[in-house]
Amino acid sequence: MIKWNIVSVDTATVNNNPNAIVMARWVCKASGGDKTVVRLGATALGAPGPDFIEFGDLSEADVMGFCVANGLDKTSVEAQAEAELQVALAAPVAITTLDWDRVA
């Protein structure tokens, strides 16, 4: 399963638009079984256009759309995350017993 989130943004006044998002940081998580792989990134956003949305009215989907419009290749990032997940799922897991006393 792939899940995207915008985790933070940088804002500035651009073309008289206060709180315009100029940078969005995102995370893409690929999960399967008991493993999760995380890809982190940031996308610089261009100046807002005539369809500027006030900061308080933005949704996460709006910001993700801005990222895609400014060069984020979601398909590529998802493919990389999925490939890393498959490697993690195929890796053997060693279970080691510990010989020291446990704290009660």
Side-chain angles (χ1 to χ4, degrees), residues 2-67:
I2 301 285
K3 181 165 175 46
W4 285 86
N5 290 106
I6 300 296
V7 294
S8 70
V9 296
D10 295 346
T11 62
T13 298
V14 180
N15 296 339
N16 295 318
N17 295 304
N19 291 322
I21 297 176
V22 295
M23 177 74 70
R25 288 173 193 79
W26 45 262
V27 61
C28 174
K29 294 180 186 178
S31 299
D34 62 345
K35 306 281 184 185
T36 299
V37 172
V38 176
R39 304 277 303 167
L40 305 171
T43 302
L45 306 179
D51 55 348
F52 178 75
I53 302 170
E54 294 293 331
F55 187 82
D57 295 330
L58 285 170
S59 69
E60 187 173 32
D62 292 327
V63 178
M64 185 57 67
F66 299 157
C67 290

